[in-house]
Amino acid sequence: MKKRGILNAPLSAALATLGHTDLIMVVDAGFPIPPGANRIDLAIAENIPDLRTVLSLIADEIVVEGVVRAEDVVTNNPRLDEWLQATFDDAEFTTRTHADVLGELAHQAKVIVRTGAFEPWGNVGLFCGVDVPRWFGGEGVIAPDYYAAKL
C-alpha cells in the first residue's frame, strides 16, 4: 500500500506522466472539459474535494514552473490569487482571458483534474518544471541564465 501522497490511482499515474513544460489543469466543478481530454474526475459533492486541497496535494508531488489563471482571478477572487502566489511562490504567474482558459488552454492540457469546487474562476493551470538544483547542480554543469537564480 502506498504510504503517503496522492492515493487516487488515476491521478497518481497521470502525475507520473508529466514532464517539463507539460500543463495540468485543476478545475472547478463546472468546468467544460473538452471531449477526449485526459480527465481525472475527483468531484463528489459541492466543494468535496475543494480546489485548494487538490492543488496543495499536487504541489507536493510535481515541480511547478508556471501558474496560469483567468485574469478575473486577480480582480474578482483576490483571496484565491493570494493563496496561489503563496503556494507556488517560485513559479512564474500569467493570466489569460476566461474564454482562453475554458477553450485554448483546456485543449493544451495533458491532464485535467476536476474538483468539487464551487469557486469563482477556480480553474488553474500548472506548467511543470524541473528541480533546478538536482538537474543543474552537478559538477561542471553550467545552468542557463533563466535557471541560475534557482541554484
Side-chain angles (χ1 to χ4, degrees):
M1 180 173 160
K2 191 172 179 188
K3 218 171 155 178
R4 66 180 61 89
I6 293 175
L7 300 178
N8 179 280
L11 180 53
S12 184
L15 294 176
T17 71
L18 297 173
H20 190 211
T21 74
D22 280 340
L23 171 65
I24 178 173
M25 291 188 72
V26 182
V27 300
D28 62 25
F31 191 85
I33 297 174
N38 183 1
R39 172 190 186 124
I40 311 289
D41 198 335
L42 303 178
I44 297 171
E46 183 176 335
N47 290 316
I48 301 174
D50 66 279
L51 185 71
R52 287 172 177 86
T53 298
V54 175
L55 282 166
S56 292
L57 290 166
I58 289 172
D60 286 343
E61 300 220 5
I62 65 171
V63 177
V64 176
E65 193 168 271
V67 176
V68 60
R69 70 277 194 232
E71 55 200 12
D72 303 279
V73 173
V74 178
T75 56
N76 299 341
N77 195 348
R79 285 187 178 158
L80 174 58
D81 197 52
E82 290 167 10
W83 183 89
L84 289 169
Q85 300 263 356
T87 302
F88 300 100
D89 59 340
D90 282 343
E92 179 181 324
F93 278 75
T94 58
T95 59
R96 302 276 289 266
T97 67
H98 186 61
D100 279 351
V101 171
L102 298 179
E104 183 183 330
L105 201 63
H107 283 87
Q108 291 175 9
K110 187 170 185 178
V111 179
I112 300 177
V113 181
R114 180 176 174 250
T115 69
F118 277 45
E119 176 147 16
W121 302 281
N123 309 303
V124 179
L126 306 174
F127 287 99
C128 295
V130 296
D131 183 334
V132 174
R134 292 176 79 184
W135 280 91
F136 296 100
E139 192 173 320
V141 176
I142 300 170
D145 290 342
Y146 51 88
Y147 283 145
K150 293 186 177 189
L151 281 174

